[in-house]
Amino acid sequence: MTPAPVIIAIDGRSGAGKTTLAIELAARLREHHKVSLFHLEDVYPGWNGLAAGIERYVTTVLAPLGRGEAAEWISWDWEKHYDGQARTTLPAEIVIVEGVGAAAASARPLLDAVIWAESSDDDRRTRALARDGSTYEPFWDQWAAQEDEWLATDPVQDHADIRVLNRADGTAPDDVLRALQYLPALAAVLLPELSARRGLQLHAERLDGVPDAARLFDALYGGSPNAVWLDSSLRTEGTAAERSRFSILADDGGSFGQDVRHRSGLTRLTTGTATVATAGPFFRWLDGVWGRRALRAPEGYTCEFTLGWLGYLGYELKRETGGSDVPSDIPDAAMIFAGRAVVLDHREASVWLLALEAPDAAEWLELARSAVAAAAEAPTARPGDGANPAVVAGTAVVAGTTAAPVFTGRDTERAYKLKIAEAQHEIAEGNTYEVCLTTAVSAAVPAGPDGVDPWRTYLALRRKNPAPFASYLRFGGLTVASTSPERFLRIAADGAMRAEPIKGTRPRAEEPVRDQELREDLESSPKDRAENIMIVDLLRNDLSHFAAAGSVTVSRLCAIESYATVHQMVSTIDARLKPGLPRAEAVAACFPAGSMTGAPKISTMAILDRLEGAPRGVYSGAIGYFSLSGAMDTAVAIRTLVIRADGAGGTELSLGVGGAITADSSPQEEYDEIRTKAYGVLSALGAAFPES
């Protein structure tokens, strides 16, 4: 008896291309493994024998193979319509079984992976009849009825680890092989494939010039369903200049492109035509795909991003870091894997084209060179002018008119002030020291000439409120448009860590003397300094869990930085990651940002769940990248507009706002502060904060 094999089932309705997929997948796996292949069509007892065939397959084929024993079974003679010859299927390191019913309920306990192949009804019939000709045609409807009856009680597709849209164009086998590598149950047997996945080669090319970033993004990724622009749109000097040096533009196209969505403990990753689902914590999944240094930065390239994952971590991931489980109606995390990207170095006035070595890399590099040249030749535009020089704040949002969306508040002014009072009661009871209480405003815009254009909306936002951590994320019908000024966490490739929390805000004034007074008022405010210092202490504690002893330092405390619409109080905490510790777990130890929870973090998050009574979604989470160099850099998702298609051609807009409540907070001042924070986004849309 040999060791029990890894058994992979390929199921799907007749004509979905399962047989070809199984043969081609087996051929690829045989490069490193011994593989056996079994086709269920060999045991179905006739055209009405689906149920009986599944029973034969499970008892005479799957059960012995699962024990590492040879399977001896009786084939079906399709010409004589009776039992045929006795056959044997030998076990191997990997066994692939394919056919309608391969992953039936009675089979699934014996399987290590289930693949569901799907295609359109017309394609399936055409393929099946082309394969079996006139023999099958009279029985197509009879067989399809059996499939309907079986799937009505046993929806195999809902239990599949991988679902693949099999277009019969040769892409499915490679996509499925990549997807299989994300299944923990197959990690040990697929070590050779995983090693090849980590043996990546990076092509890096430097171009001189200053292309207009918005035009470049629109030219390269305007038609991409999933794309990310980490947009350092603020040009500044001094300490903040480091945060504004690089912009990153990418999508999930090309040979290596992937996108991932996580919701309530389930991660779904799409690679080409295949989607693989795995259960478990997202930060653990993230460490598996990111937590090792796979690529070093090329010579002369000083950005830490050497391709990798880009997107957002939503606030509801707090369920993995000590918070309670609050379900959200959008993904708790959404990211793309970029195997090619454009990086703008604003300080050096240069462009870097990055691409993993692949058959399609040269073609993309040529396209990118042309796009950079065209965007550099265009007239220089201010942030937000983008591909449409006519775009101006307040008129760029809607498709056909200057109508502005009308926002409503989740909480009235009175309701929010009552929640402030409840938060202060919790503080008086000793349950917390500081509560970052948030609310949201939203708008529903119907389809039609006044519909929202997410791209033009973002251009208006970045024109009105440029920020070092601005970003535009597009994930199908979900768009995130952020003008965040606040870094959540950076981990450099060498393990250096940095957090830069913001606590304390004042509005800007047009008159210089009044503007300076507001800045000085923030700088000297005991309340704002106390808020900021409490969060600094919280982050020092968060970082210390994964930091080398003695490495946690505060290099800036309560410094004032000024942006287009607000003055902010900012501190900087530095540390160094202990060698060998899991990087994604270090991120989790700091998540969500203490500046968006209060202190102490875990007990305060429970208070916030009760007071707010709704998920925050993207807001209060983090936006940024996780690089193949082992580096990561993320911003706190504040000043962030979430734009969702409503399924009927319309759009839903949501903006989260909040502030830190302490024992001596003034309810009126706190309410005025959330209006101030919302102003930078709402005014760019031509909209107003809702009246109570």
Side-chain angles (χ1 to χ4, degrees):
M1 185 174 72
T2 62
V6 167
I7 304 179
I8 301 170
I10 301 179
D11 208 332
R13 300 200 58 161
S14 186
K18 302 179 295 300
T19 301
T20 302
L21 174 58
I23 292 170
E24 294 187 0
L25 179 61
R28 286 157 174 77
L29 288 169
R30 283 181 178 131
E31 182 178 354
H32 301 291
H33 312 277
K34 291 184 177 180
V35 181
S36 285
L37 188 56
F38 175 79
H39 305 285
L40 266 71
E41 67 179 23
D42 292 334
V43 298
Y44 300 131
W47 294 112
N48 62 349
L50 176 57
I54 292 173
E55 183 179 353
R56 280 190 176 195
Y57 147 71
V58 173
T59 58
T60 65
V61 179
L62 198 55
L65 287 175
R67 298 190 296 266
E69 300 171 359
E72 297 179 353
W73 47 277
I74 303 298
S75 65
W76 181 255
D77 190 323
W78 288 93
E79 292 184 359
K80 296 179 180 179
H81 302 285
Y82 200 75
D83 284 343
Q85 298 176 346
R87 296 188 185 179
T88 301
T89 298
L90 297 175
E93 185 183 9
I94 297 174
V95 173
I96 299 175
V97 293
E98 71 81 19
V100 180
S106 56
R108 287 197 289 273
L110 301 172
L111 301 173
D112 296 286
V114 172
I115 300 166
W116 178 265
E118 52 195 20
S119 57
S120 70
D121 290 346
D122 288 343
D123 285 345
R124 288 194 302 104
R125 184 183 180 96
T126 299
R127 289 179 201 162
L129 297 182
R131 181 192 64 203
D132 296 329
S134 58
T135 303
Y136 193 3
E137 188 165 13
F139 302 100
W140 173 266
D141 292 336
Q142 178 182 345
W143 188 265
Q146 291 178 88
E147 291 179 354
D148 291 339
E149 182 179 357
W150 164 57
L151 291 171
T153 59
D154 184 8
V156 175
Q157 61 270 34
D158 295 341
H159 299 277
D161 300 297
I162 297 170
R163 297 181 68 159
V164 58
L165 178 60
N166 192 357
R167 301 192 181 101
D169 59 0
T171 60
D174 288 328
D175 294 340
V176 168
L177 182 57
R178 281 194 293 270
L180 286 170
Q181 296 167 40
Y182 288 96
L183 293 178
L186 272 62
V189 74
L190 295 182
L191 277 175
E193 286 79 9
L194 288 166
S195 297
R197 190 175 81 183
R198 294 175 185 133
L200 303 172
Q201 298 296 319
L202 176 65
H203 175 95
E205 181 177 327
R206 185 183 188 275
L207 306 173
D208 292 324
V210 187
D212 179 85
R215 287 186 171 90
L216 180 58
F217 184 87
D218 194 43
L220 285 174
Y221 307 122
S224 301
N226 304 314
V228 170
W229 177 14
L230 301 183
D231 173 24
S232 295
S233 57
L234 179 67
R235 302 293 166 261
T236 186
E237 303 295 332
T239 305
E242 172 267 329
R243 286 174 265 155
S244 297
R245 179 174 178 180
F246 298 104
S247 291
I248 301 168
L249 299 76
D251 72 355
D252 62 347
S255 298
F256 290 94
Q258 300 170 13
D259 78 272
V260 64
R261 318 288 168 94
H262 178 92
R263 180 177 290 166
S264 298
L266 186 66
T267 301
R268 296 187 184 276
L269 177 138
T270 297
T271 172
T273 60
T275 298
V276 54
T278 53
F282 184 76
F283 284 107
R284 184 185 303 163
W285 180 92
L286 180 61
D287 197 68
V289 300
W290 163 68
R292 302 167 187 82
R293 295 184 67 177
L295 285 176
R296 296 184 180 275
E299 185 176 352
Y301 177 73
T302 55
C303 180
E304 294 266 16
F305 179 73
T306 57
L307 301 175
W309 299 92
L310 309 100
Y312 75 80
L313 309 176
Y315 179 75
E316 271 59 60
L317 286 179
K318 68 183 173 63
R319 71 170 62 87
E320 300 180 17
T321 63
S324 59
D325 184 1
V326 178
S328 176
D329 55 358
I330 64 171
D332 300 326
M335 296 195 295
I336 62 170
F337 182 84
R340 54 202 196 187
V342 178
V343 178
L344 308 182
D345 186 337
H346 302 294
R347 190 175 78 185
E348 299 294 328
S350 62
V351 180
W352 286 85
L353 307 182
L354 307 179
L356 295 177
E357 293 293 346
D360 56 359
E363 181 182 358
W364 179 82
L365 288 165
E366 182 58 35
L367 175 67
R369 291 185 201 105
S370 298
V372 169
E377 292 172 358
T380 301
R382 289 179 296 172
D385 288 351
N388 181 358
V391 169
V392 293
T395 65
V397 177
V398 295
T401 75
T402 58
V406 177
F407 283 81
T408 58
R410 189 172 72 205
D411 296 299
T412 64
E413 179 176 353
R414 180 175 181 275
Y416 191 72
K417 289 178 177 177
L418 286 174
K419 291 181 179 181
I420 292 173
E422 290 186 60
Q424 290 178 316
H425 175 72
E426 295 284 355
I427 294 170
E429 291 293 308
N431 298 325
T432 180
Y433 305 109
E434 178 180 0
V435 180
C436 185
L437 182 65
T438 78
T439 186
V441 296
S442 59
V445 182
D450 292 344
V452 169
D453 181 335
W455 172 238
R456 295 174 67 191
T457 298
Y458 176 66
L459 297 183
L461 288 178
R462 75 187 294 264
R463 177 187 177 94
K464 177 73 175 181
N465 192 26
F469 293 107
S471 57
Y472 175 78
L473 318 178
R474 183 169 62 235
F475 298 101
L478 174 67
T479 299
V480 179
S482 178
T483 55
S484 175
E486 180 177 359
R487 171 176 275 145
F488 163 52
L489 180 67
R490 184 189 74 182
I491 302 177
D494 65 2
M497 298 192 289
R498 169 168 288 183
E500 296 185 280
I502 290 176
K503 266 289 163 265
T505 304
R506 295 292 186 276
R508 299 296 304 269
E510 292 186 7
E511 202 278 313
V513 173
R514 177 57 182 157
D515 190 59
Q516 183 63 25
E517 289 175 349
L518 289 167
R519 180 185 172 100
E520 291 173 356
D521 178 64
L522 175 61
E523 191 171 26
S524 61
S525 166
K527 171 186 174 296
D528 289 295
R529 290 184 65 86
E531 288 180 12
N532 196 292
I533 290 169
M534 274 192 277
I535 299 304
V536 168
D537 284 342
L538 187 155
L539 279 166
R540 288 173 63 242
N541 179 69
D542 286 349
L543 289 169
S544 69
H545 294 300
F546 284 80
S551 69
V552 180
T553 60
V554 179
S555 55
R556 276 198 314 167
L557 185 64
C558 299
I560 306 301
E561 295 182 355
S562 298
Y563 296 91
T565 59
V566 293
H567 301 292
Q568 305 264 216
M569 183 177 286
V570 187
S571 294
T572 301
I573 308 101
D574 291 305
R576 181 161 294 277
L577 184 69
K578 289 180 183 177
L581 291 184
R583 294 190 169 215
E585 294 301 323
V587 178
C590 299
F591 188 89
S595 60
M596 300 306 298
T597 62
K601 183 184 287 187
I602 292 177
S603 61
T604 305
M605 286 193 294
I607 293 168
L608 289 167
D609 286 341
R610 179 176 59 81
L611 292 180
E612 296 177 0
R616 294 186 182 181
V618 179
Y619 174 60
S620 300
I623 297 171
Y625 70 74
F626 298 85
S627 169
L628 291 174
S629 66
M632 58 82 65
D633 201 358
T634 50
V636 180
I638 55 175
R639 320 291 195 270
T640 297
L641 186 71
V642 177
I643 308 169
R644 296 173 58 201
D646 64 6
T651 309
E652 298 173 355
L653 309 176
S654 177
L655 174 68
V657 286
I661 310 303
T662 61
D664 58 352
S665 288
S666 158
Q668 185 59 52
E669 290 178 0
E670 295 294 344
Y671 189 73
D672 290 341
E673 182 173 328
I674 68 170
R675 292 174 63 97
T676 296
K677 290 175 176 177
Y679 173 79
V681 173
L682 296 183
S683 61
L685 309 181
F689 195 88
E691 297 298 327
S692 298

